[in-house]
């Protein structure tokens, strides 16, 4: 039996090694829906077959594809119908684009005969996707095009670490597939990812080594590009006697139990990382496009070396002297023999001392009383309980502060969030994407109540649909219920000098744990500080997915690692207009006191 165009698309994607697709049906992809049902059963001579994950909203499909790419290192795949379905994909696709996660999006379109007629659900999809899929977006008009459209979309997504998009009109999906004829005006593509040149030239490596060897106080900043370069990063840091700070997407790149790993950098980062950057004489950036230049050394105070697989990311945040295009692991491996072993331990001793003090500060802050639960304690109690090889996802908002700052990752763990886009609502689809890719691992999603109400509640339905298929059913969605869009509230206070605007920031209370029970999942509610640890133990022991709800205080400040004079003045300015002033002042005083005298 001959293949339809839709049949061929799924078959070809499997030949590329793409076996899981996140999506939602519609008449714009009717042919793809029908063909996918056959592909799920492994027909057309492919024993593996496709795995289809039906989401509740197309945006979630794109987020899951982005998470798949981030956690597996492979290409994520999603699809949606024409018009509104295609439009819904955009936010999740921008998340992938901005975090350099390779994702292929397949979208439907109205019949070719209707295009240009202002037809129902007719949207100019090439124009719509041209920015998010700037490296490759194309619409098919003939069956003979399909092969090269699929091949180029997958190859470019992987090679460029970007989003690509193929648009397939619904009438074309039902036609018989044809290979392109061998005539003028056709092209003939094949399956296979390109072998990449991953190591810079020797002269560049030697120049980088010279700068690094001359440094007395070297600071490394590592990002998502180092997630598969843990051993190489540690070996280089040991040879240089360097300290290592991490961009948020690189949290899992090196374990936090090493005495020279200072944790995150930036507003969500640590005081030791701030000190590392301010006191170093050499900055070595590897696999990171960390955006906040104000947290890096003042230009001119430190020499700079940078490695990135993408040349356009070099010397972008800091005027680095030597710039190397290459894979982080392979380039560090080639650089290592050229580096001189540092014997002076003063720099490392300072870093360790700063870290020892910092962890005491964090514990003291976490144990400060609040009304009723301090959100930091929720993460502090989780940190020592993190299962081996677990995967942790975080949402945007105040949870990202505690995720980035209070959780100590050990070797083998994975974690991610919407980094450059910082989109609200990514933690739940990220958790699902992680669990689909690694069903044997424990997955823990951390999310605020605003993000949970935005779309997390809907995707709990997706979890209820699929969890029985997982080899390990443990998936925990932890919700901080503080009835507040907390991160923005604190940004208003500290950055704008304005009190909380209750009309925009206050959100409804909702029984998240009880909602889990309605779905046949487990719900746990905790509003007592001394029972936080026991609540985590109960969730981690559960034999089904859990919503773990903590009733937390919205007025515990997510203190930055460095408070500027402007921040302090804005805080004072907001006092007359702050409706919850008592709680804000009391909790801020406790946090500051714990910072100054952590053992009080």
């Amino acid at each position: 039996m001959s293949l339809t165009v839709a049949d061929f698309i799924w078959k070809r994607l499997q030949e590329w090694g793409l076996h899981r697709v996140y999506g939602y049906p519609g008449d714009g992809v009717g042919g793809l829906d029908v063909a996918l049902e056959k592909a799920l059963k492994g027909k057309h001579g492919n024993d593996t077959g496709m795995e289809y994950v039906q989401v509740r909203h197309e945006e979630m499909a794109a987020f899951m594809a982005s998470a798949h790419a981030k956690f597996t290192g492979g290409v994520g795949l999603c699809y949606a119908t024409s018009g509104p379905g295609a439009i819904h994909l955009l936010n999740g696709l921008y998340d992938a684009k901005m975090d350099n996660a390779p994702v292929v999006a397949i979208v439907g379109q109205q019949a070719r005969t209707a295009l240009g007629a202002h037809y129902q659900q007719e949207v100019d999809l090439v124009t719509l996707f041209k920015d998010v899929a700037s490296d490759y977006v194309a619409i098919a008009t003939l069956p003979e095009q399909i092969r090269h459209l699929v091949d180029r979309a997958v190859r470019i997504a992987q090679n460029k670490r970007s989003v690509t998009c193929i648009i397939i009109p619904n009438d074309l999906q039902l036609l018989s597939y044809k290979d392109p004829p061998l005539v003028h005006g056709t092209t003939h593509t094949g399956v296979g990812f390109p072998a990449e040149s991953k190591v810079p030239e020797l002269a560049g490596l030697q120049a980088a080594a010279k700068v690094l060897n001359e440094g007395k106080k070297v600071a490394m900043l590592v990002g998502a590009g180092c997630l598969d370069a843990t051993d190489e990063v540690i070996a280089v840091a040991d040879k240089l006697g360097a300290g290592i700070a991490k961009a948020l997407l690189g949290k899992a790149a090196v374990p936090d139990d090493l005495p020279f790993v200072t944790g995150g950098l930036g507003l969500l980062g640590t005081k030791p990382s701030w000190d590392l950057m301010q006191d170093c004489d050499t900055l070595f950036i590897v696999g990171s496009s960390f955006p906040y230049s104000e947290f890096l050394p003042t230009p001119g105070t430190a020499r700079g070396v940078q490695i990135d697989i993408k040349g356009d990311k070099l010397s972008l945040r800091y005027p680095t002297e030597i710039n190397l295009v290459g894979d982080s692991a392979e380039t560090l491996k080639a650089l290592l023999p050229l580096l001189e072993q540092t014997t002076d331990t003063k720099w490392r001793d300072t870093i360790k001392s700063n870290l020892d003090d910092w962890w005491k500060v964090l514990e003291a802050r976490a144990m400060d009383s609040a009304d009723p639960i301090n959100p930091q304690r929720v993460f502090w109690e989780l940190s020592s309980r993190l299962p081996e090889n677990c995967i942790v996802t975080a949402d945007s908002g105040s949870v990202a502060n505690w995720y980035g700052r209070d959780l100590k990752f050990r070797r083998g763990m994975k974690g991610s969030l919407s980094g450059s886009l910082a989109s609200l609502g990514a933690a739940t689809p990220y958790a699902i994407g992680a669990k689909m890719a690694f069903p044997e691992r424990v997955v823990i999603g951390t999310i605020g109540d605003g993000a949970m109400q935005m779309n997390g509640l809907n995707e709990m339905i997706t979890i209820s649909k699929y969890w029985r298929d997982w080899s390990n059913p443990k998936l925990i969605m932890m919700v901080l219920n503080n009835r507040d869009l907390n991160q923005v509230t604190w940004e208003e206070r500290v950055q704008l000098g304005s009190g909380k605007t209750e009309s925009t920031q206050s959100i409804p209370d909702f029984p998240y744990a009880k909602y889990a029970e309605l779905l046949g999942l487990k719900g746990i509610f905790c509003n007592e500080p001394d029972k936080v640890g026991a609540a985590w133990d109960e969730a981690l022991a559960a034999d089904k997915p859990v919503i773990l709800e903590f009733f937390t205080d919205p007025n515990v400040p997510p203190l930055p690692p460095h408070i500027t004079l402007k921040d302090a003045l804005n805080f004072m300015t907001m006092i007359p207009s702050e409706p919850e002033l008592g709680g804000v002042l009391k909790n801020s005083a406790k946090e500051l006191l714990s910072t100054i005298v952590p053992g009080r």
Side-chain angles (χ1 to χ4, degrees), residues 291-353:
Y292 305 117
S293 296
E294 68 270 25
F295 287 90
L296 299 176
T298 301
T301 63
R303 302 178 74 181
V305 175
Q306 186 172 4
I307 298 169
D308 204 283
I309 196 70
K310 288 190 163 187
D312 64 332
K313 297 294 191 293
L314 294 169
S315 199
L316 182 62
R317 313 297 185 197
Y318 189 82
T320 42
E321 187 176 331
I322 307 297
N323 295 286
L324 305 176
V325 177
D327 172 80
S328 296
E330 296 302 320
T331 302
L332 291 174
K333 201 178 298 181
L335 185 63
L336 191 62
L338 305 176
L339 300 177
E340 299 169 2
Q341 180 64 56
T342 299
T343 56
D344 189 343
T345 64
K346 290 180 183 177
W347 178 234
R348 277 274 181 95
D349 292 342
T350 300
I351 294 167
K352 183 180 184 304
S353 176

Side-chain angles (χ1 to χ4, degrees), residues 398 484-496 498 505 553-559 571 574 583-585 587-588:
S398 59
D484 181 46
L485 298 176
N486 199 232
Q487 187 78 357
V488 174
T489 296
W490 277 102
E491 287 170 349
E492 288 180 353
R493 288 167 177 155
V494 177
Q495 296 179 10
L496 301 181
S498 174
Q505 300 310 110
D553 191 336
N555 291 323
V556 174
L559 290 179
F571 186 83
M574 71 86 192
V584 170
L585 293 179
N587 286 319
S588 298

Side-chain angles (χ1 to χ4, degrees), residues 415-434:
S416 197
L417 75 174
S418 177
S420 298
L421 187 62
S423 177
L424 202 64
T428 310
Y430 266 43
I432 295 170

Side-chain angles (χ1 to χ4, degrees), residues 18 290 407 417 477:
L18 277 61
F290 175 80
L407 293 184
L417 75 174
M477 287 306 303

Side-chain angles (χ1 to χ4, degrees), residues 129-148:
F129 282 86
K130 190 55 185 173
D131 182 56
V132 72
S134 55
D135 284 311
Y136 191 73
V137 55
I139 183 169
T141 57
L142 293 169
E144 291 86 351
Q145 286 178 278
I146 296 299
R147 188 170 102 187
H148 72 253

Side-chain angles (χ1 to χ4, degrees), residues 211-222:
V211 172
L212 295 170
N213 286 332
E214 290 173 358
K216 304 301 181 186
K217 297 188 290 184
V218 180
M220 295 182 71
L221 171 59
V222 302

